[in-house]
PDB file of all heavy atoms in Angstrom:
ATOM      1  N   ALA A1150       0.843  -1.190  -0.001  1.00 57.00           N
ATOM      2  CA  ALA A1150      -0.007  -0.002  -0.003  1.00 57.00           C
ATOM      3  C   ALA A1150       0.872   1.236  -0.002  1.00 57.00           C
ATOM      4  O   ALA A1150       1.869   1.303   0.710  1.00 57.00           O
ATOM      5  CB  ALA A1150      -0.910   0.007   1.203  1.00 57.00           C
ATOM      6  N   ARG A1151       0.525   2.192  -0.817  1.00 59.00           N
ATOM      7  CA  ARG A1151       1.248   3.457  -0.884  1.00 59.00           C
ATOM      8  C   ARG A1151       0.252   4.564  -0.596  1.00 59.00           C
ATOM      9  O   ARG A1151      -0.856   4.557  -1.123  1.00 59.00           O
ATOM     10  CB  ARG A1151       1.839   3.693  -2.280  1.00 59.00           C
ATOM     11  CG  ARG A1151       2.822   2.660  -2.702  1.00 59.00           C
ATOM     12  CD  ARG A1151       4.160   2.967  -2.124  1.00 59.00           C
ATOM     13  NE  ARG A1151       5.097   1.958  -2.574  1.00 59.00           N
ATOM     14  CZ  ARG A1151       6.222   1.723  -1.974  1.00 59.00           C
ATOM     15  NH1 ARG A1151       6.576   2.404  -0.936  1.00 59.00           N
ATOM     16  NH2 ARG A1151       7.027   0.797  -2.414  1.00 59.00           N
ATOM     17  N   THR A1152       0.610   5.507   0.195  1.00 54.00           N
ATOM     18  CA  THR A1152      -0.231   6.674   0.436  1.00 54.00           C
ATOM     19  C   THR A1152       0.569   7.896   0.053  1.00 54.00           C
ATOM     20  O   THR A1152       1.703   8.066   0.473  1.00 54.00           O
ATOM     21  CB  THR A1152      -0.650   6.759   1.919  1.00 54.00           C
ATOM     22  OG1 THR A1152      -1.343   5.569   2.248  1.00 54.00           O
ATOM     23  CG2 THR A1152      -1.555   7.955   2.150  1.00 54.00           C
ATOM     24  N   PHE A1153      -0.017   8.743  -0.739  1.00 54.00           N
ATOM     25  CA  PHE A1153       0.635   9.947  -1.226  1.00 54.00           C
ATOM     26  C   PHE A1153      -0.348  11.091  -1.070  1.00 54.00           C
ATOM     27  O   PHE A1153      -1.455  11.040  -1.592  1.00 54.00           O
ATOM     28  CB  PHE A1153       1.038   9.775  -2.691  1.00 54.00           C
ATOM     29  CG  PHE A1153       1.681  10.987  -3.295  1.00 54.00           C
ATOM     30  CD1 PHE A1153       2.948  11.380  -2.912  1.00 54.00           C
ATOM     31  CD2 PHE A1153       1.014  11.739  -4.232  1.00 54.00           C
ATOM     32  CE1 PHE A1153       3.557  12.492  -3.463  1.00 54.00           C
ATOM     33  CE2 PHE A1153       1.616  12.850  -4.790  1.00 54.00           C
ATOM     34  CZ  PHE A1153       2.888  13.229  -4.402  1.00 54.00           C
ATOM     35  N   THR A1154       0.028  12.133  -0.378  1.00 54.00           N
ATOM     36  CA  THR A1154      -0.847  13.266  -0.193  1.00 54.00           C
ATOM     37  C   THR A1154      -0.410  14.379  -1.128  1.00 54.00           C
ATOM     38  O   THR A1154       0.679  14.913  -0.994  1.00 54.00           O
ATOM     39  CB  THR A1154      -0.800  13.760   1.267  1.00 54.00           C
ATOM     40  OG1 THR A1154      -1.148  12.664   2.112  1.00 54.00           O
ATOM     41  CG2 THR A1154      -1.790  14.882   1.491  1.00 54.00           C
ATOM     42  N   ALA A1155      -1.234  14.665  -2.082  1.00 53.00           N
ATOM     43  CA  ALA A1155      -0.953  15.735  -3.048  1.00 53.00           C
ATOM     44  C   ALA A1155      -1.724  16.978  -2.618  1.00 53.00           C
ATOM     45  O   ALA A1155      -2.339  17.002  -1.555  1.00 53.00           O
ATOM     46  CB  ALA A1155      -1.375  15.283  -4.430  1.00 53.00           C
ATOM     47  N   THR A1156      -1.713  17.974  -3.463  1.00 54.00           N
ATOM     48  CA  THR A1156      -2.404  19.210  -3.105  1.00 54.00           C
ATOM     49  C   THR A1156      -3.913  19.066  -3.216  1.00 54.00           C
ATOM     50  O   THR A1156      -4.645  19.808  -2.585  1.00 54.00           O
ATOM     51  CB  THR A1156      -1.926  20.358  -4.017  1.00 54.00           C
ATOM     52  OG1 THR A1156      -2.121  19.978  -5.369  1.00 54.00           O
ATOM     53  CG2 THR A1156      -0.474  20.684  -3.763  1.00 54.00           C
ATOM     54  N   LEU A1157      -4.394  18.101  -3.991  1.00 53.00           N
ATOM     55  CA  LEU A1157      -5.839  17.992  -4.193  1.00 53.00           C
ATOM     56  C   LEU A1157      -6.486  16.996  -3.235  1.00 53.00           C
ATOM     57  O   LEU A1157      -7.435  17.302  -2.549  1.00 53.00           O
ATOM     58  CB  LEU A1157      -6.147  17.591  -5.636  1.00 53.00           C
ATOM     59  CG  LEU A1157      -5.704  18.602  -6.701  1.00 53.00           C
ATOM     60  CD1 LEU A1157      -5.992  18.078  -8.089  1.00 53.00           C
ATOM     61  CD2 LEU A1157      -6.422  19.929  -6.482  1.00 53.00           C
ATOM     62  N   GLN A1158      -5.990  15.765  -3.212  1.00 54.00           N
ATOM     63  CA  GLN A1158      -6.587  14.730  -2.364  1.00 54.00           C
ATOM     64  C   GLN A1158      -5.592  13.599  -2.170  1.00 54.00           C
ATOM     65  O   GLN A1158      -4.686  13.429  -2.979  1.00 54.00           O
ATOM     66  CB  GLN A1158      -7.872  14.205  -2.994  1.00 54.00           C
ATOM     67  CG  GLN A1158      -7.669  13.558  -4.354  1.00 54.00           C
ATOM     68  CD  GLN A1158      -8.974  13.170  -5.000  1.00 54.00           C
ATOM     69  OE1 GLN A1158     -10.020  13.222  -4.383  1.00 54.00           O
ATOM     70  NE2 GLN A1158      -8.925  12.775  -6.244  1.00 54.00           N
ATOM     71  N   PRO A1159      -5.738  12.825  -1.095  1.00 56.00           N
ATOM     72  CA  PRO A1159      -4.812  11.713  -0.881  1.00 56.00           C
ATOM     73  C   PRO A1159      -5.078  10.582  -1.864  1.00 56.00           C
ATOM     74  O   PRO A1159      -6.205  10.362  -2.296  1.00 56.00           O
ATOM     75  CB  PRO A1159      -5.097  11.284   0.562  1.00 56.00           C
ATOM     76  CG  PRO A1159      -6.465  11.777   0.840  1.00 56.00           C
ATOM     77  CD  PRO A1159      -6.677  13.013  -0.001  1.00 56.00           C
ATOM     78  N   LEU A1160      -4.002   9.906  -2.227  1.00 60.00           N
ATOM     79  CA  LEU A1160      -4.090   8.738  -3.097  1.00 60.00           C
ATOM     80  C   LEU A1160      -3.739   7.535  -2.242  1.00 60.00           C
ATOM     81  O   LEU A1160      -2.662   7.467  -1.686  1.00 60.00           O
ATOM     82  CB  LEU A1160      -3.102   8.864  -4.266  1.00 60.00           C
ATOM     83  CG  LEU A1160      -2.933   7.656  -5.173  1.00 60.00           C
ATOM     84  CD1 LEU A1160      -4.240   7.381  -5.911  1.00 60.00           C
ATOM     85  CD2 LEU A1160      -1.810   7.904  -6.149  1.00 60.00           C
ATOM     86  N   ASP A1161      -4.652   6.628  -2.089  1.00 64.00           N
ATOM     87  CA  ASP A1161      -4.416   5.423  -1.297  1.00 64.00           C
ATOM     88  C   ASP A1161      -4.806   4.236  -2.152  1.00 64.00           C
ATOM     89  O   ASP A1161      -5.973   4.056  -2.472  1.00 64.00           O
ATOM     90  CB  ASP A1161      -5.226   5.473  -0.002  1.00 64.00           C
ATOM     91  CG  ASP A1161      -4.879   4.342   0.939  1.00 64.00           C
ATOM     92  OD1 ASP A1161      -3.909   3.605   0.654  1.00 64.00           O
ATOM     93  OD2 ASP A1161      -5.583   4.179   1.943  1.00 64.00           O
ATOM     94  N   THR A1162      -3.822   3.462  -2.559  1.00 71.00           N
ATOM     95  CA  THR A1162      -4.095   2.355  -3.458  1.00 71.00           C
ATOM     96  C   THR A1162      -3.177   1.187  -3.137  1.00 71.00           C
ATOM     97  O   THR A1162      -2.075   1.378  -2.621  1.00 71.00           O
ATOM     98  CB  THR A1162      -3.934   2.796  -4.931  1.00 71.00           C
ATOM     99  OG1 THR A1162      -4.334   1.735  -5.774  1.00 71.00           O
ATOM    100  CG2 THR A1162      -2.511   3.181  -5.238  1.00 71.00           C
ATOM    101  N   ALA A1163      -3.620   0.005  -3.445  1.00 79.00           N
ATOM    102  CA  ALA A1163      -2.782  -1.180  -3.269  1.00 79.00           C
ATOM    103  C   ALA A1163      -2.160  -1.509  -4.616  1.00 79.00           C
ATOM    104  O   ALA A1163      -2.860  -1.576  -5.626  1.00 79.00           O
ATOM    105  CB  ALA A1163      -3.616  -2.336  -2.761  1.00 79.00           C
ATOM    106  N   ILE A1164      -0.862  -1.714  -4.631  1.00 85.00           N
ATOM    107  CA  ILE A1164      -0.152  -2.052  -5.860  1.00 85.00           C
ATOM    108  C   ILE A1164       0.422  -3.452  -5.663  1.00 85.00           C
ATOM    109  O   ILE A1164       1.134  -3.683  -4.689  1.00 85.00           O
ATOM    110  CB  ILE A1164       0.955  -1.022  -6.158  1.00 85.00           C
ATOM    111  CG1 ILE A1164       0.315   0.347  -6.387  1.00 85.00           C
ATOM    112  CG2 ILE A1164       1.791  -1.455  -7.353  1.00 85.00           C
ATOM    113  CD1 ILE A1164       1.292   1.476  -6.510  1.00 85.00           C
ATOM    114  N   PRO A1165       0.112  -4.365  -6.576  1.00 87.00           N
ATOM    115  CA  PRO A1165       0.624  -5.734  -6.406  1.00 87.00           C
ATOM    116  C   PRO A1165       2.147  -5.774  -6.551  1.00 87.00           C
ATOM    117  O   PRO A1165       2.752  -4.861  -7.085  1.00 87.00           O
ATOM    118  CB  PRO A1165      -0.050  -6.499  -7.543  1.00 87.00           C
ATOM    119  CG  PRO A1165      -0.393  -5.477  -8.556  1.00 87.00           C
ATOM    120  CD  PRO A1165      -0.634  -4.197  -7.808  1.00 87.00           C
ATOM    121  N   ASP A1166       2.726  -6.840  -6.037  1.00 90.00           N
ATOM    122  CA  ASP A1166       4.163  -7.014  -6.150  1.00 90.00           C
ATOM    123  C   ASP A1166       4.405  -8.388  -6.764  1.00 90.00           C
ATOM    124  O   ASP A1166       3.974  -9.385  -6.173  1.00 90.00           O
ATOM    125  CB  ASP A1166       4.807  -6.920  -4.777  1.00 90.00           C
ATOM    126  CG  ASP A1166       6.320  -6.899  -4.830  1.00 90.00           C
ATOM    127  OD1 ASP A1166       6.864  -6.530  -5.882  1.00 90.00           O
ATOM    128  OD2 ASP A1166       6.952  -7.230  -3.811  1.00 90.00           O
ATOM    129  N   PRO A1167       4.977  -8.499  -7.919  1.00 93.00           N
ATOM    130  CA  PRO A1167       5.625  -7.438  -8.679  1.00 93.00           C
ATOM    131  C   PRO A1167       4.631  -6.621  -9.508  1.00 93.00           C
ATOM    132  O   PRO A1167       3.534  -7.072  -9.796  1.00 93.00           O
ATOM    133  CB  PRO A1167       6.585  -8.190  -9.600  1.00 93.00           C
ATOM    134  CG  PRO A1167       5.904  -9.487  -9.848  1.00 93.00           C
ATOM    135  CD  PRO A1167       5.175  -9.814  -8.558  1.00 93.00           C
ATOM    136  N   ALA A1168       5.081  -5.438  -9.897  1.00 93.00           N
ATOM    137  CA  ALA A1168       4.270  -4.555 -10.729  1.00 93.00           C
ATOM    138  C   ALA A1168       5.179  -3.612 -11.493  1.00 93.00           C
ATOM    139  O   ALA A1168       6.324  -3.389 -11.102  1.00 93.00           O
ATOM    140  CB  ALA A1168       3.314  -3.735  -9.860  1.00 93.00           C
ATOM    141  N   VAL A1169       4.648  -3.044 -12.561  1.00 93.00           N
ATOM    142  CA  VAL A1169       5.300  -1.950 -13.256  1.00 93.00           C
ATOM    143  C   VAL A1169       4.400  -0.739 -13.064  1.00 93.00           C
ATOM    144  O   VAL A1169       3.225  -0.770 -13.420  1.00 93.00           O
ATOM    145  CB  VAL A1169       5.500  -2.226 -14.765  1.00 93.00           C
ATOM    146  CG1 VAL A1169       6.069  -1.002 -15.456  1.00 93.00           C
ATOM    147  CG2 VAL A1169       6.396  -3.431 -14.970  1.00 93.00           C
ATOM    148  N   VAL A1170       4.947   0.292 -12.447  1.00 90.00           N
ATOM    149  CA  VAL A1170       4.213   1.522 -12.204  1.00 90.00           C
ATOM    150  C   VAL A1170       4.810   2.573 -13.123  1.00 90.00           C
ATOM    151  O   VAL A1170       6.011   2.854 -13.054  1.00 90.00           O
ATOM    152  CB  VAL A1170       4.343   1.957 -10.726  1.00 90.00           C
ATOM    153  CG1 VAL A1170       3.600   3.266 -10.476  1.00 90.00           C
ATOM    154  CG2 VAL A1170       3.861   0.856  -9.802  1.00 90.00           C
ATOM    155  N   VAL A1171       3.993   3.141 -14.002  1.00 89.00           N
ATOM    156  CA  VAL A1171       4.485   4.136 -14.961  1.00 89.00           C
ATOM    157  C   VAL A1171       3.913   5.490 -14.572  1.00 89.00           C
ATOM    158  O   VAL A1171       2.693   5.677 -14.547  1.00 89.00           O
ATOM    159  CB  VAL A1171       4.082   3.764 -16.412  1.00 89.00           C
ATOM    160  CG1 VAL A1171       4.606   4.805 -17.388  1.00 89.00           C
ATOM    161  CG2 VAL A1171       4.597   2.372 -16.766  1.00 89.00           C
ATOM    162  N   LEU A1172       4.807   6.408 -14.249  1.00 88.00           N
ATOM    163  CA  LEU A1172       4.408   7.763 -13.858  1.00 88.00           C
ATOM    164  C   LEU A1172       4.725   8.698 -15.020  1.00 88.00           C
ATOM    165  O   LEU A1172       5.884   8.943 -15.338  1.00 88.00           O
ATOM    166  CB  LEU A1172       5.187   8.195 -12.604  1.00 88.00           C
ATOM    167  CG  LEU A1172       5.077   7.250 -11.406  1.00 88.00           C
ATOM    168  CD1 LEU A1172       6.005   7.707 -10.289  1.00 88.00           C
ATOM    169  CD2 LEU A1172       3.642   7.157 -10.929  1.00 88.00           C
ATOM    170  N   ILE A1173       3.684   9.202 -15.654  1.00 85.00           N
ATOM    171  CA  ILE A1173       3.826  10.092 -16.801  1.00 85.00           C
ATOM    172  C   ILE A1173       3.086  11.384 -16.492  1.00 85.00           C
ATOM    173  O   ILE A1173       1.947  11.355 -16.025  1.00 85.00           O
ATOM    174  CB  ILE A1173       3.204   9.463 -18.079  1.00 85.00           C
ATOM    175  CG1 ILE A1173       3.829   8.101 -18.395  1.00 85.00           C
ATOM    176  CG2 ILE A1173       3.314  10.409 -19.268  1.00 85.00           C
ATOM    177  CD1 ILE A1173       5.263   8.145 -18.816  1.00 85.00           C
ATOM    178  N   GLY A1174       3.720  12.517 -16.726  1.00 81.00           N
ATOM    179  CA  GLY A1174       3.045  13.787 -16.486  1.00 81.00           C
ATOM    180  C   GLY A1174       3.996  14.956 -16.635  1.00 81.00           C
ATOM    181  O   GLY A1174       5.180  14.792 -16.854  1.00 81.00           O
ATOM    182  N   ALA A1175       3.434  16.117 -16.481  1.00 82.00           N
ATOM    183  CA  ALA A1175       4.195  17.353 -16.643  1.00 82.00           C
ATOM    184  C   ALA A1175       5.256  17.481 -15.565  1.00 82.00           C
ATOM    185  O   ALA A1175       5.129  16.946 -14.465  1.00 82.00           O
ATOM    186  CB  ALA A1175       3.234  18.550 -16.569  1.00 82.00           C
ATOM    187  N   ALA A1176       6.311  18.209 -15.905  1.00 80.00           N
ATOM    188  CA  ALA A1176       7.362  18.502 -14.924  1.00 80.00           C
ATOM    189  C   ALA A1176       6.731  19.225 -13.740  1.00 80.00           C
ATOM    190  O   ALA A1176       5.878  20.093 -13.913  1.00 80.00           O
ATOM    191  CB  ALA A1176       8.432  19.374 -15.577  1.00 80.00           C
ATOM    192  N   GLY A1177       7.124  18.834 -12.543  1.00 81.00           N
ATOM    193  CA  GLY A1177       6.616  19.483 -11.341  1.00 81.00           C
ATOM    194  C   GLY A1177       5.273  18.970 -10.869  1.00 81.00           C
ATOM    195  O   GLY A1177       4.694  19.522  -9.930  1.00 81.00           O
ATOM    196  N   SER A1178       4.765  17.894 -11.470  1.00 81.00           N
ATOM    197  CA  SER A1178       3.433  17.399 -11.097  1.00 81.00           C
ATOM    198  C   SER A1178       3.454  16.413  -9.924  1.00 81.00           C
ATOM    199  O   SER A1178       2.404  15.971  -9.486  1.00 81.00           O
ATOM    200  CB  SER A1178       2.755  16.745 -12.303  1.00 81.00           C
ATOM    201  OG  SER A1178       3.485  15.608 -12.731  1.00 81.00           O
ATOM    202  N   GLY A1179       4.640  16.059  -9.423  1.00 80.00           N
ATOM    203  CA  GLY A1179       4.720  15.174  -8.268  1.00 80.00           C
ATOM    204  C   GLY A1179       5.147  13.746  -8.564  1.00 80.00           C
ATOM    205  O   GLY A1179       5.176  12.910  -7.667  1.00 80.00           O
ATOM    206  N   LYS A1180       5.490  13.461  -9.808  1.00 85.00           N
ATOM    207  CA  LYS A1180       5.889  12.102 -10.185  1.00 85.00           C
ATOM    208  C   LYS A1180       7.095  11.633  -9.387  1.00 85.00           C
ATOM    209  O   LYS A1180       7.079  10.545  -8.801  1.00 85.00           O
ATOM    210  CB  LYS A1180       6.238  12.020 -11.681  1.00 85.00           C
ATOM    211  CG  LYS A1180       5.130  12.340 -12.622  1.00 85.00           C
ATOM    212  CD  LYS A1180       5.600  12.319 -14.052  1.00 85.00           C
ATOM    213  CE  LYS A1180       6.791  13.164 -14.360  1.00 85.00           C
ATOM    214  NZ  LYS A1180       6.656  14.592 -14.135  1.00 85.00           N
ATOM    215  N   SER A1181       8.130  12.421  -9.349  1.00 84.00           N
ATOM    216  CA  SER A1181       9.356  12.035  -8.666  1.00 84.00           C
ATOM    217  C   SER A1181       9.158  11.970  -7.158  1.00 84.00           C
ATOM    218  O   SER A1181       9.753  11.114  -6.478  1.00 84.00           O
ATOM    219  CB  SER A1181      10.501  12.984  -9.002  1.00 84.00           C
ATOM    220  OG  SER A1181      10.805  12.900 -10.382  1.00 84.00           O
ATOM    221  N   THR A1182       8.311  12.821  -6.618  1.00 88.00           N
ATOM    222  CA  THR A1182       8.017  12.762  -5.188  1.00 88.00           C
ATOM    223  C   THR A1182       7.318  11.441  -4.864  1.00 88.00           C
ATOM    224  O   THR A1182       7.656  10.773  -3.877  1.00 88.00           O
ATOM    225  CB  THR A1182       7.127  13.959  -4.774  1.00 88.00           C
ATOM    226  OG1 THR A1182       7.839  15.161  -5.076  1.00 88.00           O
ATOM    227  CG2 THR A1182       6.791  13.918  -3.292  1.00 88.00           C
ATOM    228  N   PHE A1183       6.351  11.062  -5.687  1.00 87.00           N
ATOM    229  CA  PHE A1183       5.657   9.783  -5.487  1.00 87.00           C
ATOM    230  C   PHE A1183       6.637   8.622  -5.677  1.00 87.00           C
ATOM    231  O   PHE A1183       6.656   7.671  -4.896  1.00 87.00           O
ATOM    232  CB  PHE A1183       4.485   9.682  -6.437  1.00 87.00           C
ATOM    233  CG  PHE A1183       3.581   8.490  -6.207  1.00 87.00           C
ATOM    234  CD1 PHE A1183       3.205   8.117  -4.925  1.00 87.00           C
ATOM    235  CD2 PHE A1183       3.109   7.766  -7.275  1.00 87.00           C
ATOM    236  CE1 PHE A1183       2.373   7.020  -4.710  1.00 87.00           C
ATOM    237  CE2 PHE A1183       2.277   6.670  -7.076  1.00 87.00           C
ATOM    238  CZ  PHE A1183       1.899   6.293  -5.792  1.00 87.00           C
ATOM    239  N   ALA A1184       7.481   8.706  -6.700  1.00 88.00           N
ATOM    240  CA  ALA A1184       8.455   7.626  -6.975  1.00 88.00           C
ATOM    241  C   ALA A1184       9.420   7.469  -5.802  1.00 88.00           C
ATOM    242  O   ALA A1184       9.900   6.362  -5.542  1.00 88.00           O
ATOM    243  CB  ALA A1184       9.215   7.923  -8.256  1.00 88.00           C
ATOM    244  N   SER A1185       9.689   8.544  -5.083  1.00 89.00           N
ATOM    245  CA  SER A1185      10.641   8.483  -3.975  1.00 89.00           C
ATOM    246  C   SER A1185      10.139   7.632  -2.806  1.00 89.00           C
ATOM    247  O   SER A1185      10.900   7.338  -1.886  1.00 89.00           O
ATOM    248  CB  SER A1185      11.015   9.887  -3.496  1.00 89.00           C
ATOM    249  OG  SER A1185       9.932  10.471  -2.794  1.00 89.00           O
ATOM    250  N   THR A1186       8.889   7.205  -2.833  1.00 88.00           N
ATOM    251  CA  THR A1186       8.372   6.342  -1.774  1.00 88.00           C
ATOM    252  C   THR A1186       8.790   4.880  -2.002  1.00 88.00           C
ATOM    253  O   THR A1186       8.563   4.050  -1.140  1.00 88.00           O
ATOM    254  CB  THR A1186       6.832   6.432  -1.651  1.00 88.00           C
ATOM    255  OG1 THR A1186       6.213   5.935  -2.825  1.00 88.00           O
ATOM    256  CG2 THR A1186       6.406   7.870  -1.387  1.00 88.00           C
ATOM    257  N   TRP A1187       9.392   4.595  -3.159  1.00 91.00           N
ATOM    258  CA  TRP A1187       9.911   3.254  -3.445  1.00 91.00           C
ATOM    259  C   TRP A1187      11.413   3.225  -3.195  1.00 91.00           C
ATOM    260  O   TRP A1187      12.085   4.259  -3.167  1.00 91.00           O
ATOM    261  CB  TRP A1187       9.650   2.880  -4.908  1.00 91.00           C
ATOM    262  CG  TRP A1187       8.321   2.260  -5.149  1.00 91.00           C
ATOM    263  CD1 TRP A1187       7.997   0.936  -5.075  1.00 91.00           C
ATOM    264  CD2 TRP A1187       7.110   2.932  -5.537  1.00 91.00           C
ATOM    265  NE1 TRP A1187       6.672   0.760  -5.372  1.00 91.00           N
ATOM    266  CE2 TRP A1187       6.094   1.968  -5.662  1.00 91.00           C
ATOM    267  CE3 TRP A1187       6.790   4.262  -5.774  1.00 91.00           C
ATOM    268  CZ2 TRP A1187       4.811   2.266  -6.024  1.00 91.00           C
ATOM    269  CZ3 TRP A1187       5.489   4.575  -6.129  1.00 91.00           C
ATOM    270  CH2 TRP A1187       4.518   3.588  -6.250  1.00 91.00           C
ATOM    271  N   ASN A1188      11.950   2.032  -3.106  1.00 93.00           N
ATOM    272  CA  ASN A1188      13.390   1.829  -2.985  1.00 93.00           C
ATOM    273  C   ASN A1188      14.055   2.440  -4.230  1.00 93.00           C
ATOM    274  O   ASN A1188      13.584   2.195  -5.349  1.00 93.00           O
ATOM    275  CB  ASN A1188      13.662   0.326  -2.897  1.00 93.00           C
ATOM    276  CG  ASN A1188      15.101  -0.001  -2.695  1.00 93.00           C
ATOM    277  OD1 ASN A1188      15.991   0.622  -3.268  1.00 93.00           O
ATOM    278  ND2 ASN A1188      15.346  -0.985  -1.878  1.00 93.00           N
ATOM    279  N   PRO A1189      15.118   3.196  -4.096  1.00 95.00           N
ATOM    280  CA  PRO A1189      15.757   3.826  -5.258  1.00 95.00           C
ATOM    281  C   PRO A1189      16.155   2.839  -6.360  1.00 95.00           C
ATOM    282  O   PRO A1189      16.143   3.195  -7.537  1.00 95.00           O
ATOM    283  CB  PRO A1189      16.995   4.507  -4.673  1.00 95.00           C
ATOM    284  CG  PRO A1189      16.633   4.765  -3.255  1.00 95.00           C
ATOM    285  CD  PRO A1189      15.755   3.603  -2.828  1.00 95.00           C
ATOM    286  N   SER A1190      16.467   1.591  -6.003  1.00 95.00           N
ATOM    287  CA  SER A1190      16.852   0.618  -7.025  1.00 95.00           C
ATOM    288  C   SER A1190      15.664   0.215  -7.890  1.00 95.00           C
ATOM    289  O   SER A1190      15.841  -0.346  -8.977  1.00 95.00           O
ATOM    290  CB  SER A1190      17.467  -0.622  -6.393  1.00 95.00           C
ATOM    291  OG  SER A1190      16.494  -1.325  -5.629  1.00 95.00           O
ATOM    292  N   GLN A1191      14.452   0.520  -7.454  1.00 96.00           N
ATOM    293  CA  GLN A1191      13.251   0.161  -8.206  1.00 96.00           C
ATOM    294  C   GLN A1191      12.799   1.273  -9.157  1.00 96.00           C
ATOM    295  O   GLN A1191      11.916   1.056  -9.973  1.00 96.00           O
ATOM    296  CB  GLN A1191      12.097  -0.156  -7.246  1.00 96.00           C
ATOM    297  CG  GLN A1191      12.337  -1.388  -6.398  1.00 96.00           C
ATOM    298  CD  GLN A1191      11.223  -1.594  -5.406  1.00 96.00           C
ATOM    299  OE1 GLN A1191      10.907  -0.714  -4.604  1.00 96.00           O
ATOM    300  NE2 GLN A1191      10.615  -2.766  -5.457  1.00 96.00           N
ATOM    301  N   VAL A1192      13.391   2.449  -9.048  1.00 96.00           N
ATOM    302  CA  VAL A1192      12.924   3.614  -9.812  1.00 96.00           C
ATOM    303  C   VAL A1192      13.836   3.869 -11.015  1.00 96.00           C
ATOM    304  O   VAL A1192      15.041   4.030 -10.858  1.00 96.00           O
ATOM    305  CB  VAL A1192      12.865   4.872  -8.907  1.00 96.00           C
ATOM    306  CG1 VAL A1192      12.402   6.074  -9.712  1.00 96.00           C
ATOM    307  CG2 VAL A1192      11.932   4.617  -7.721  1.00 96.00           C
ATOM    308  N   LEU A1193      13.234   3.912 -12.182  1.00 95.00           N
ATOM    309  CA  LEU A1193      13.950   4.253 -13.408  1.00 95.00           C
ATOM    310  C   LEU A1193      13.488   5.649 -13.828  1.00 95.00           C
ATOM    311  O   LEU A1193      12.332   5.842 -14.206  1.00 95.00           O
ATOM    312  CB  LEU A1193      13.656   3.246 -14.519  1.00 95.00           C
ATOM    313  CG  LEU A1193      13.921   1.777 -14.201  1.00 95.00           C
ATOM    314  CD1 LEU A1193      13.617   0.917 -15.425  1.00 95.00           C
ATOM    315  CD2 LEU A1193      15.331   1.571 -13.728  1.00 95.00           C
TER     316      LEU A1193
END
């Protein structure tokens, strides 16, 4: 389970393991902040 609190509303979701999580969006939208909740070796 990952919980991420953004400026609009919290995101609370279960992500299976293993999984591929693709974060696509504008610069400054919070992708890297959300990605930082994973182990650095898992983030490309």
